[in-house]
Amino acid sequence: MHRLIETLPRLRRGHPWLTDVLLVVLVAVPPVIRPQPGWRPVWVQAVVYAALVLPLLWRRRRPVLVAALVTVAFWAQFLGQVWGQEPGRGAVALAAVLATLTVRGLRRAAAATAICAAGCVLLWIPAWQRDYGGPGARGAWLTPLAVGLLLAGAWVFGEYVRARRAYVAEFERRAALAESERLALARVAVAEERARIAREIHDVLAHSVSVMVLNAEGGRLMRHTDPTIVDRTLGVISATGRDALDELRRLLEVLRTPDADASAGAPGPGSGNGGAGESLSADLRRLVGRLNTNGTRARLDLRGEPAGLPADLTVQTYRIVQEALTNVVKHAPPDAAIHVRVDTGTEGPGRLLRVRVENSAGAGAAPTHPTPLRSCGHGLTGMRERTALYGGSLDAGPTPDGGYRITATLRPTAPDPTTATP
Protein backbone atom coordinates (compact mmCIF):
# COMPACT_ATOMS: atom_id res chain seq x y z
CA MET A 1 0.00 0.00 0.00
CA HIS A 2 2.79 2.38 0.88
CA ARG A 3 4.51 1.65 -2.43
CA LEU A 4 1.22 2.30 -4.26
CA ILE A 5 0.85 5.66 -2.53
CA GLU A 6 4.37 6.65 -3.63
CA THR A 7 3.81 5.40 -7.19
CA LEU A 8 0.51 7.17 -7.86
CA PRO A 9 1.91 10.77 -7.84
CA ARG A 10 4.74 9.81 -10.21
CA LEU A 11 2.26 8.01 -12.47
CA ARG A 12 -0.05 11.02 -12.48
CA ARG A 13 2.78 13.43 -13.36
CA GLY A 14 4.10 11.16 -16.09
CA HIS A 15 0.67 10.31 -17.58
CA PRO A 16 -1.80 13.14 -16.82
CA TRP A 17 -4.37 11.70 -19.22
CA LEU A 18 -4.95 8.87 -16.73
CA THR A 19 -6.45 11.41 -14.34
CA ASP A 20 -8.83 12.62 -17.03
CA VAL A 21 -9.95 9.08 -17.82
CA LEU A 22 -10.47 8.36 -14.11
CA LEU A 23 -12.52 11.56 -13.75
CA VAL A 24 -14.71 10.64 -16.71
CA VAL A 25 -15.27 7.18 -15.23
CA LEU A 26 -16.22 8.64 -11.86
CA VAL A 27 -18.64 11.10 -13.46
CA ALA A 28 -20.16 8.55 -15.83
CA VAL A 29 -20.63 5.69 -13.34
CA PRO A 30 -23.27 4.65 -12.52
CA PRO A 31 -25.08 5.46 -15.76
CA VAL A 32 -28.53 7.09 -15.69
CA ILE A 33 -29.57 6.11 -19.20
CA ARG A 34 -32.64 3.89 -19.07
CA PRO A 35 -36.26 3.92 -20.19
CA GLN A 36 -38.35 5.80 -17.66
CA PRO A 37 -41.84 7.35 -17.82
CA GLY A 38 -41.52 11.13 -18.20
CA TRP A 39 -37.96 10.93 -19.52
CA ARG A 40 -36.76 11.42 -23.05
CA PRO A 41 -35.93 8.48 -25.30
CA VAL A 42 -32.75 6.58 -24.61
CA TRP A 43 -30.89 7.98 -27.63
CA VAL A 44 -31.63 11.56 -26.46
CA GLN A 45 -30.37 10.65 -23.01
CA ALA A 46 -27.22 9.15 -24.54
CA VAL A 47 -26.49 12.28 -26.60
CA VAL A 48 -26.91 14.64 -23.64
CA TYR A 49 -24.96 12.25 -21.44
CA ALA A 50 -22.08 12.19 -23.92
CA ALA A 51 -22.18 16.01 -24.16
CA LEU A 52 -21.85 16.21 -20.37
CA VAL A 53 -19.12 13.58 -19.89
CA LEU A 54 -16.89 13.24 -22.96
CA PRO A 55 -15.67 16.89 -23.08
CA LEU A 56 -14.03 16.28 -19.70
CA LEU A 57 -11.28 14.37 -21.55
CA TRP A 58 -10.07 17.71 -23.01
CA ARG A 59 -10.48 19.80 -19.87
CA ARG A 60 -6.69 20.35 -19.56
CA ARG A 61 -6.14 21.64 -23.08
CA ARG A 62 -9.40 23.59 -23.54
CA PRO A 63 -10.80 24.27 -20.06
CA VAL A 64 -12.97 27.25 -21.05
CA LEU A 65 -14.39 25.52 -24.12
CA VAL A 66 -15.14 22.37 -22.13
CA ALA A 67 -16.86 24.44 -19.44
CA ALA A 68 -19.02 26.10 -22.10
CA LEU A 69 -19.97 22.75 -23.68
CA VAL A 70 -20.87 21.19 -20.32
CA THR A 71 -22.90 24.28 -19.33
CA VAL A 72 -24.83 24.16 -22.62
CA ALA A 73 -25.49 20.43 -22.12
CA PHE A 74 -26.71 21.12 -18.56
CA TRP A 75 -29.15 23.73 -19.87
CA ALA A 76 -30.26 21.34 -22.58
CA GLN A 77 -30.90 18.74 -19.88
CA PHE A 78 -33.10 21.23 -18.00
CA LEU A 79 -34.95 22.67 -20.99
CA GLY A 80 -35.56 19.27 -22.55
CA GLN A 81 -36.34 17.55 -19.25
CA VAL A 82 -34.12 14.70 -20.42
CA TRP A 83 -34.25 12.97 -17.04
CA GLY A 84 -37.37 14.66 -15.84
CA GLN A 85 -36.66 16.82 -12.80
CA GLU A 86 -33.49 14.94 -11.85
CA PRO A 87 -30.21 16.92 -12.28
CA GLY A 88 -28.53 13.62 -13.15
CA ARG A 89 -24.83 13.81 -14.05
CA GLY A 90 -25.09 17.43 -15.13
CA ALA A 91 -24.33 18.83 -11.67
CA VAL A 92 -21.38 16.45 -11.22
CA ALA A 93 -19.95 17.39 -14.64
CA LEU A 94 -20.35 21.10 -13.83
CA ALA A 95 -18.53 20.58 -10.52
CA ALA A 96 -15.65 18.90 -12.40
CA VAL A 97 -15.21 21.74 -14.91
CA LEU A 98 -15.63 24.36 -12.15
CA ALA A 99 -12.81 22.77 -10.15
CA THR A 100 -10.63 22.68 -13.28
CA LEU A 101 -11.20 26.37 -13.98
CA THR A 102 -10.32 27.42 -10.41
CA VAL A 103 -7.20 25.22 -10.39
CA ARG A 104 -6.05 26.96 -13.57
CA GLY A 105 -6.76 30.36 -12.04
CA LEU A 106 -9.50 31.16 -14.61
CA ARG A 107 -11.73 32.80 -12.04
CA ARG A 108 -13.79 34.82 -14.54
CA ALA A 109 -14.68 31.72 -16.53
CA ALA A 110 -15.39 29.86 -13.27
CA ALA A 111 -17.66 32.68 -12.08
CA ALA A 112 -19.52 32.72 -15.41
CA THR A 113 -19.98 28.94 -15.23
CA ALA A 114 -21.22 29.14 -11.63
CA ILE A 115 -23.69 31.93 -12.51
CA CYS A 116 -25.06 29.96 -15.46
CA ALA A 117 -25.43 26.85 -13.30
CA ALA A 118 -27.10 28.87 -10.50
CA GLY A 119 -29.51 30.42 -12.98
CA CYS A 120 -30.46 27.01 -14.30
CA VAL A 121 -30.99 25.70 -10.75
CA LEU A 122 -33.17 28.70 -9.86
CA LEU A 123 -35.33 28.14 -12.92
CA TRP A 124 -35.63 24.50 -11.92
CA ILE A 125 -36.98 25.28 -8.44
CA PRO A 126 -40.65 25.83 -9.51
CA ALA A 127 -40.71 22.41 -11.15
CA TRP A 128 -39.27 20.84 -8.02
CA GLN A 129 -41.83 22.70 -5.92
CA ARG A 130 -44.59 21.35 -8.12
CA ASP A 131 -43.39 17.75 -8.17
CA TYR A 132 -41.93 17.41 -4.69
CA GLY A 133 -43.76 20.16 -2.80
CA GLY A 134 -46.60 19.87 -0.41
CA PRO A 135 -47.20 20.09 3.34
CA GLY A 136 -44.03 19.09 5.20
CA ALA A 137 -42.14 18.18 1.99
CA ARG A 138 -38.38 18.85 2.01
CA GLY A 139 -37.37 17.47 -1.36
CA ALA A 140 -38.12 20.77 -3.13
CA TRP A 141 -35.25 22.46 -1.26
CA LEU A 142 -32.89 19.55 -0.70
CA THR A 143 -32.10 19.17 -4.42
CA PRO A 144 -31.06 22.82 -5.10
CA LEU A 145 -29.22 22.91 -1.77
CA ALA A 146 -27.29 19.76 -2.68
CA VAL A 147 -26.40 21.15 -6.13
CA GLY A 148 -25.27 24.45 -4.59
CA LEU A 149 -23.10 22.72 -2.01
CA LEU A 150 -21.58 20.50 -4.71
CA LEU A 151 -20.61 23.49 -6.87
CA ALA A 152 -19.33 25.47 -3.88
CA GLY A 153 -17.27 22.49 -2.73
CA ALA A 154 -15.80 22.14 -6.23
CA TRP A 155 -14.77 25.81 -6.19
CA VAL A 156 -13.15 25.52 -2.74
CA PHE A 157 -11.38 22.32 -3.72
CA GLY A 158 -10.03 23.95 -6.89
CA GLU A 159 -8.71 26.95 -4.94
CA TYR A 160 -7.03 24.63 -2.45
CA VAL A 161 -5.32 22.60 -5.18
CA ARG A 162 -4.19 25.78 -6.91
CA ALA A 163 -2.76 27.24 -3.69
CA ARG A 164 -1.07 23.94 -2.90
CA ARG A 165 0.53 23.75 -6.32
CA ALA A 166 1.70 27.35 -6.07
CA TYR A 167 3.23 26.62 -2.67
CA VAL A 168 5.02 23.51 -3.94
CA ALA A 169 6.25 25.38 -7.04
CA GLU A 170 7.58 28.23 -4.90
CA PHE A 171 9.22 25.77 -2.54
CA GLU A 172 10.89 23.97 -5.46
CA ARG A 173 11.96 27.29 -6.95
CA ARG A 174 13.56 28.37 -3.70
CA ALA A 175 15.20 24.98 -3.29
CA ALA A 176 16.62 25.22 -6.82
CA LEU A 177 17.77 28.78 -6.13
CA ALA A 178 19.42 27.71 -2.87
CA GLU A 179 21.12 24.83 -4.65
CA SER A 180 22.38 27.11 -7.42
CA GLU A 181 23.66 29.59 -4.81
CA ARG A 182 25.37 26.75 -2.96
CA LEU A 183 27.04 25.57 -6.16
CA ALA A 184 28.04 29.13 -7.02
CA LEU A 185 29.55 29.65 -3.56
CA ALA A 186 31.33 26.31 -3.86
CA ARG A 187 32.78 27.34 -7.23
CA VAL A 188 33.87 30.68 -5.79
CA ALA A 189 35.46 28.92 -2.81
CA VAL A 190 37.30 26.53 -5.13
CA ALA A 191 38.49 29.40 -7.30
CA GLU A 192 39.68 31.35 -4.24
CA GLU A 193 41.46 28.29 -2.88
CA ARG A 194 43.15 27.66 -6.23
CA ALA A 195 44.21 31.30 -6.39
CA ARG A 196 45.56 31.13 -2.83
CA ILE A 197 47.55 27.98 -3.52
CA ALA A 198 48.90 29.40 -6.77
CA ARG A 199 49.86 32.63 -5.03
CA GLU A 200 51.68 30.83 -2.22
CA ILE A 201 53.56 28.48 -4.52
CA HIS A 202 54.44 31.34 -6.84
CA ASP A 203 55.81 33.45 -3.99
CA VAL A 204 57.81 30.57 -2.50
CA LEU A 205 59.28 29.28 -5.72
CA ALA A 206 59.63 32.47 -7.76
CA HIS A 207 61.77 34.26 -5.21
CA SER A 208 63.86 31.30 -4.10
CA VAL A 209 64.52 29.93 -7.57
CA SER A 210 65.27 33.40 -8.96
CA VAL A 211 67.81 34.06 -6.22
CA MET A 212 69.37 30.63 -6.70
CA VAL A 213 69.60 30.94 -10.50
CA LEU A 214 71.06 34.43 -10.53
CA ASN A 215 73.53 33.63 -7.75
CA ALA A 216 74.60 30.50 -9.61
CA GLU A 217 75.16 32.45 -12.81
CA GLY A 218 76.94 35.23 -10.95
CA GLY A 219 79.17 32.74 -9.17
CA ARG A 220 80.03 31.05 -12.46
CA LEU A 221 81.04 34.40 -13.95
CA MET A 222 83.18 35.35 -10.91
CA ARG A 223 84.87 31.99 -10.30
CA HIS A 224 88.12 33.08 -11.99
CA THR A 225 88.15 36.55 -10.43
CA ASP A 226 87.41 36.01 -6.73
CA PRO A 227 86.93 32.41 -5.50
CA THR A 228 85.68 33.68 -2.12
CA ILE A 229 82.62 35.11 -3.84
CA VAL A 230 81.87 31.67 -5.21
CA ASP A 231 81.93 30.23 -1.70
CA ARG A 232 79.58 32.89 -0.40
CA THR A 233 77.31 32.43 -3.41
CA LEU A 234 77.10 28.69 -2.89
CA GLY A 235 76.22 29.31 0.75
CA VAL A 236 73.41 31.65 -0.29
CA ILE A 237 72.13 29.09 -2.81
CA SER A 238 72.18 26.34 -0.19
CA ALA A 239 70.41 28.46 2.44
CA THR A 240 67.84 29.70 -0.05
CA GLY A 241 67.08 26.17 -1.22
CA ARG A 242 66.70 24.88 2.33
CA ASP A 243 64.39 27.73 3.25
CA ALA A 244 62.31 27.11 0.12
CA LEU A 245 62.01 23.42 0.98
CA ASP A 246 60.96 24.25 4.55
CA GLU A 247 58.33 26.71 3.34
CA LEU A 248 56.95 24.26 0.78
CA ARG A 249 56.77 21.57 3.45
CA ARG A 250 54.81 23.83 5.81
CA LEU A 251 52.56 24.91 2.95
CA LEU A 252 51.79 21.30 2.02
CA GLU A 253 51.03 20.48 5.66
CA VAL A 254 48.48 23.30 5.75
CA LEU A 255 46.89 22.15 2.49
CA ARG A 256 46.67 18.54 3.67
CA THR A 257 45.06 19.53 6.98
CA PRO A 258 42.02 21.73 6.16
CA ASP A 259 40.98 22.07 9.82
CA ALA A 260 44.41 23.25 10.96
CA ASP A 261 45.14 26.86 11.82
CA ALA A 262 46.32 28.20 8.46
CA SER A 263 48.22 31.15 9.85
CA ALA A 264 50.02 29.01 12.43
CA GLY A 265 51.33 26.55 9.89
CA ALA A 266 51.92 29.01 7.10
CA PRO A 267 55.32 29.39 5.56
CA GLY A 268 57.14 32.60 6.29
CA PRO A 269 56.96 34.71 9.46
CA GLY A 270 54.91 33.62 12.40
CA SER A 271 55.98 29.98 12.07
CA GLY A 272 58.94 30.23 14.42
CA ASN A 273 59.30 31.07 18.09
CA GLY A 274 58.35 34.42 19.50
CA GLY A 275 55.64 36.87 18.50
CA ALA A 276 54.53 37.54 14.97
CA GLY A 277 56.18 40.97 14.86
CA GLU A 278 59.57 39.72 16.12
CA SER A 279 59.45 36.80 13.70
CA LEU A 280 58.66 39.20 10.85
CA SER A 281 61.74 41.30 11.67
CA ALA A 282 64.02 38.25 11.79
CA ASP A 283 62.65 36.78 8.57
CA LEU A 284 62.93 40.09 6.71
CA ARG A 285 66.56 40.46 7.80
CA ARG A 286 67.32 36.98 6.56
CA LEU A 287 65.44 37.62 3.31
CA VAL A 288 67.25 40.86 2.55
CA GLY A 289 70.59 39.36 3.65
CA ARG A 290 70.46 36.88 0.78
CA LEU A 291 70.81 39.74 -1.70
CA ASN A 292 74.05 41.15 -0.22
CA THR A 293 76.29 39.08 -2.46
CA ASN A 294 77.99 39.77 -5.78
CA GLY A 295 78.12 43.50 -5.07
CA THR A 296 74.40 44.00 -4.60
CA ARG A 297 73.72 46.59 -1.97
CA ALA A 298 70.51 45.85 -0.02
CA ARG A 299 69.41 47.76 3.05
CA LEU A 300 66.52 47.02 5.45
CA ASP A 301 64.84 49.75 7.48
CA LEU A 302 62.41 48.54 10.17
CA ARG A 303 60.26 51.05 12.02
CA GLY A 304 57.26 51.03 14.31
CA GLU A 305 56.12 48.68 17.07
CA PRO A 306 56.10 45.01 16.03
CA ALA A 307 53.80 43.96 18.90
CA GLY A 308 50.11 43.40 18.32
CA LEU A 309 50.30 42.35 14.66
CA PRO A 310 48.06 39.46 13.51
CA ALA A 311 50.03 36.42 12.46
CA ASP A 312 48.34 36.34 9.06
CA LEU A 313 49.21 39.98 8.44
CA THR A 314 52.89 39.28 9.03
CA VAL A 315 52.70 36.50 6.43
CA GLN A 316 51.14 38.86 3.89
CA THR A 317 53.78 41.50 4.62
CA TYR A 318 56.60 39.00 4.26
CA ARG A 319 55.19 37.77 0.95
CA ILE A 320 54.82 41.29 -0.41
CA VAL A 321 58.45 42.09 0.39
CA GLN A 322 59.55 38.73 -0.98
CA GLU A 323 57.74 39.23 -4.28
CA ALA A 324 58.99 42.81 -4.59
CA LEU A 325 62.58 41.61 -4.10
CA THR A 326 61.93 38.86 -6.66
CA ASN A 327 61.02 41.55 -9.19
CA VAL A 328 64.24 43.40 -8.32
CA VAL A 329 66.31 40.26 -8.80
CA LYS A 330 64.65 39.57 -12.15
CA HIS A 331 64.66 43.03 -13.69
CA ALA A 332 67.11 45.36 -11.90
CA PRO A 333 70.83 45.60 -12.81
CA PRO A 334 73.15 43.60 -10.53
CA ASP A 335 74.70 46.78 -9.08
CA ALA A 336 71.34 48.43 -8.27
CA ALA A 337 70.93 49.60 -4.68
CA ILE A 338 67.92 48.11 -2.88
CA HIS A 339 66.11 49.81 -0.01
CA VAL A 340 63.43 47.93 1.91
CA ARG A 341 61.43 49.91 4.44
CA VAL A 342 58.73 48.37 6.66
CA ASP A 343 56.83 50.58 9.12
CA THR A 344 54.54 48.55 11.39
CA GLY A 345 53.05 51.66 13.02
CA THR A 346 51.88 51.86 16.62
CA GLU A 347 49.14 49.93 18.36
CA GLY A 348 45.72 51.53 18.42
CA PRO A 349 42.80 52.44 16.17
CA GLY A 350 43.72 53.49 12.67
CA ARG A 351 47.04 51.60 12.71
CA LEU A 352 48.63 51.21 9.28
CA LEU A 353 51.44 48.97 8.12
CA ARG A 354 53.45 50.44 5.26
CA VAL A 355 55.91 48.62 3.02
CA ARG A 356 58.22 50.22 0.47
CA VAL A 357 60.72 48.38 -1.73
CA GLU A 358 62.79 50.58 -4.01
CA ASN A 359 65.77 49.93 -6.24
CA SER A 360 67.98 52.35 -8.11
CA ALA A 361 68.79 52.25 -11.81
CA GLY A 362 72.35 51.05 -11.18
CA ALA A 363 75.57 52.28 -12.75
CA GLY A 364 75.01 50.28 -15.94
CA ALA A 365 75.02 46.61 -16.86
CA ALA A 366 78.36 44.83 -17.11
CA PRO A 367 79.23 42.94 -20.29
CA THR A 368 79.02 39.69 -18.36
CA HIS A 369 75.59 40.44 -16.91
CA PRO A 370 73.52 37.22 -16.64
CA THR A 371 70.53 36.78 -18.90
CA PRO A 372 67.42 38.40 -17.33
CA LEU A 373 64.79 35.96 -16.08
CA ARG A 374 61.43 35.82 -17.77
CA SER A 375 58.40 37.02 -15.81
CA CYS A 376 54.88 35.64 -15.98
CA GLY A 377 53.35 38.91 -14.75
CA HIS A 378 51.60 37.44 -11.69
CA GLY A 379 53.77 39.18 -9.09
CA LEU A 380 51.99 42.54 -8.96
CA THR A 381 48.61 40.80 -9.13
CA GLY A 382 49.48 38.63 -6.14
CA MET A 383 50.72 41.62 -4.14
CA ARG A 384 47.52 43.55 -4.86
CA GLU A 385 45.45 40.56 -3.74
CA ARG A 386 47.40 40.35 -0.49
CA THR A 387 46.97 44.04 0.30
CA ALA A 388 43.27 43.80 -0.52
CA LEU A 389 42.85 41.10 2.13
CA TYR A 390 43.51 43.78 4.76
CA GLY A 391 41.73 46.68 3.10
CA GLY A 392 44.96 48.19 1.77
CA SER A 393 46.33 49.38 -1.53
CA LEU A 394 49.44 48.91 -3.62
CA ASP A 395 51.25 51.29 -5.96
CA ALA A 396 54.06 50.33 -8.30
CA GLY A 397 55.96 52.32 -10.88
CA PRO A 398 59.31 53.74 -12.01
CA THR A 399 61.13 56.39 -10.02
CA PRO A 400 62.48 59.65 -11.50
CA ASP A 401 66.08 58.34 -11.40
CA GLY A 402 65.21 55.29 -13.52
CA GLY A 403 64.68 52.84 -10.69
CA TYR A 404 61.51 51.17 -9.54
CA ARG A 405 59.38 51.50 -6.39
CA ILE A 406 56.64 49.39 -4.85
CA THR A 407 54.62 50.74 -1.92
CA ALA A 408 51.91 48.85 -0.05
CA THR A 409 49.61 49.90 2.78
CA LEU A 410 47.72 47.41 4.98
CA ARG A 411 45.26 47.93 7.82
CA PRO A 412 46.00 45.56 10.71
CA THR A 413 42.88 46.52 12.66
CA ALA A 414 40.40 45.77 9.86
CA PRO A 415 41.16 42.42 8.28
CA ASP A 416 38.56 40.52 6.30
CA PRO A 417 38.15 37.27 8.26
CA THR A 418 36.31 35.55 5.43
CA THR A 419 39.05 35.92 2.86
CA ALA A 420 42.27 36.35 4.83
CA THR A 421 44.47 33.40 4.00
CA PRO A 422 48.06 32.53 4.78
Side-chain angles (χ1 to χ4, degrees), residues 351-370:
R351 183 178 187 178
L352 296 178
L353 190 150
R354 295 182 174 87
V355 176
R356 186 180 70 180
V357 179
E358 182 177 358
N359 65 274
S360 65
T368 58
H369 183 270

Side-chain angles (χ1 to χ4, degrees), residues 59-67 97-114 155 158-159 162:
R59 66 186 183 90
R60 295 179 184 273
R61 287 176 288 182
R62 298 288 188 272
V64 177
L65 178 60
V66 170
V97 297
L98 191 62
T100 300
L101 292 174
T102 52
V103 168
R104 294 294 185 89
L106 302 173
R107 289 190 174 90
R108 292 185 178 179
T113 303
W155 186 298
E159 290 291 349
R162 181 173 181 272

Side-chain angles (χ1 to χ4, degrees), residues 85-403:
Q85 308 305 328
E86 296 292 336
R89 287 291 177 266
V92 180
L94 276 175
V97 297
L98 191 62
T100 300
L101 292 174
T102 52
V103 168
R104 294 294 185 89
L106 302 173
R107 289 190 174 90
R108 292 185 178 179
T113 303
I115 291 173
C116 292
C120 185
V121 171
L122 291 176
L123 293 177
W124 222 325
I125 290 179
W128 290 330
Q129 289 282 355
R130 184 180 64 251
D131 294 346
Y132 305 110
R138 299 179 180 179
W141 297 106
L142 286 178
T143 300
L145 180 61
V147 174
L149 290 177
L150 179 64
L151 297 179
W155 186 298
V156 172
F157 175 76
E159 290 291 349
Y160 167 76
V161 173
R162 181 173 181 272
R164 178 67 180 177
R165 290 181 179 179
Y167 170 78
V168 172
E170 179 65 17
F171 180 81
E172 292 177 348
R173 187 190 69 82
R174 292 188 178 184
L177 181 61
E179 179 66 14
S180 63
E181 290 179 353
R182 186 188 68 80
L183 293 177
L185 291 176
R187 287 192 291 267
V188 170
V190 170
E192 290 180 351
E193 183 66 10
R194 291 179 62 184
R196 183 183 74 86
I197 295 173
R199 187 168 60 239
E200 292 296 330
I201 294 177
H202 172 271
D203 290 349
V204 172
L205 295 182
H207 175 79
S208 300
V209 174
S210 298
V211 171
M212 292 167 64
V213 169
L214 292 182
N215 274 279
E217 292 182 351
R220 180 174 58 84
L221 295 175
M222 298 295 293
R223 68 183 182 276
H224 299 301
T225 304
D226 189 353
T228 59
I229 294 181
V230 178
D231 294 337
R232 292 198 302 269
T233 301
L234 292 177
V236 171
I237 293 175
S238 176
T240 303
R242 292 177 181 275
D243 290 343
L245 289 176
D246 290 340
E247 292 186 11
L248 285 176
R249 176 182 56 78
R250 288 193 292 268
L251 177 60
L252 291 176
E253 289 178 356
V254 173
L255 296 179
R256 290 171 179 171
T257 312
D259 297 333
D261 186 357
S263 62
S271 57
N273 298 329
E278 289 77 4
S279 178
L280 173 63
S281 302
D283 286 332
L284 289 178
R285 290 189 181 95
R286 185 174 64 255
L287 180 66
V288 175
R290 296 174 185 168
L291 303 179
N292 281 320
T293 61
N294 298 334
T296 302
R297 295 181 297 276
R299 182 164 58 93
L300 175 64
D301 185 6
L302 295 174
R303 301 185 180 183
E305 299 177 359
L309 292 177
D312 183 73
L313 177 63
T314 61
V315 175
Q316 309 304 335
T317 304
Y318 177 86
R319 293 301 187 205
I320 291 172
V321 175
Q322 185 183 54
E323 182 57 34
L325 292 178
T326 301
N327 290 341
V328 174
V329 171
K330 288 182 177 180
H331 305 293
D335 60 344
I338 305 172
H339 183 200
V340 179
R341 178 176 176 179
V342 178
D343 186 355
T344 56
T346 57
E347 290 190 76
R351 183 178 187 178
L352 296 178
L353 190 150
R354 295 182 174 87
V355 176
R356 186 180 70 180
V357 179
E358 182 177 358
N359 65 274
S360 65
T368 58
H369 183 270
T371 304
L373 297 178
R374 295 171 58 184
S375 175
C376 59
H378 297 311
L380 290 177
T381 301
M383 286 188 284
R384 286 193 175 92
E385 291 174 352
R386 292 184 183 281
T387 55
L389 293 178
Y390 277 84
S393 60
L394 183 133
D395 295 321
T399 59
D401 61 353

